[in-house]
Amino acid sequence: MKMQNPDLQQKIAEAIANPKNMGEMASADAVGAVGSPNCGDMVRMWVKFKEENGKKVIDRATFQAFGCETAIAVASLATEMIKGKTVDEAFALSGQELARDLGPLPPMKIHCGELVEGALRSALRPTVVSNPKPLVSQTGAGTLLDSFASSATATKPVKMVFLKEGE
Ligand code: FES
């Protein structure tokens, strides 16, 4: 069977060799996080706004990804792509659109782009909760989610949003 995007691995390798905007942003105006119940990966995103021509637009964004290389690559590209966009414009971007520079993602990697989409959307509209079902037991001390959530709330309130199965 012919691969739809034979350059994907190389493009991902290039993106993660020099990831853009990786790390926490102390001065962020908004932060969002999302976890996938399917693979256990998580992405967190920080966004800073500015006024431009009377409009509130994204000045810059940063991310942390506890996940696969595709998620890291998409997050890196997404933080560049959304600069200068309004909240509505950035919110409307799908995972596939955020991953545009990688080319089409294969079916098993589509959720990696959706994870970035979810983290961005939860930062931009922190009241959106699609599925509050916990990824792992909240009583499981020392889990990745616990440390992720507690470090997120240490700086600013963060709403964890979990993707629905099959989204
Ligand atoms: Fe889950 Fe990529 S395999 S985010």
Side-chain angles (χ1 to χ4, degrees):
M1 192 169 77
K2 195 165 161 252
M3 272 183 75
Q4 283 193 325
N5 185 359
D7 298 333
L8 179 64
Q9 272 313 322
Q10 191 193 332
K11 287 179 177 171
I12 289 173
E14 284 168 9
I16 64 171
N18 182 23
K20 303 280 193 290
N21 310 307
M22 194 157 71
E24 189 169 341
M25 190 198 308
S27 60
D29 296 318
V31 57
V34 72
S36 166
N38 297 323
C39 65
D41 292 344
M42 297 180 198
V43 172
R44 189 158 39 154
M45 198 168 279
W46 290 264
V47 180
K48 178 111 187 131
F49 300 105
K50 67 177 178 182
E51 286 283 319
E52 197 172 80
N53 301 326
K55 282 193 301 188
K56 179 175 150 184
V57 299
I58 295 169
D59 182 23
R60 60 197 185 93
T62 67
F63 75 97
Q64 278 181 337
F66 302 90
C68 74
E69 293 182 342
T70 305
I72 296 168
V74 176
S76 171
L77 294 169
T79 52
E80 288 290 294
M81 182 186 292
I82 63 176
K83 281 181 188 171
K85 294 196 185 304
T86 65
V87 168
D88 287 345
E89 287 167 347
F91 193 88
L93 292 169
S94 69
Q96 286 281 10
E97 286 168 325
L98 293 168
R100 186 187 58 207
D101 288 351
L102 298 177
L105 298 175
M108 64 182 292
K109 289 290 175 186
I110 286 175
H111 81 276
C112 312
E114 290 174 343
L115 204 62
V116 177
E117 169 198 306
L120 175 60
R121 288 182 176 182
S122 81
L124 296 175
R125 303 244 177 103
T127 53
V128 175
V129 176
S130 60
N131 180 0
K133 188 176 72 175
L135 176 64
V136 294
S137 166
Q138 295 288 340
T139 57
T143 64
L144 177 59
L145 179 63
D146 293 337
S147 63
F148 186 81
S150 64
S151 69
T153 51
T155 48
K156 292 199 180 214
V158 63
K159 182 92 61 181
M160 287 292 283
V161 180
F162 296 92
L163 298 175
K164 289 191 195 117
E165 298 268 350
E167 267 191 350

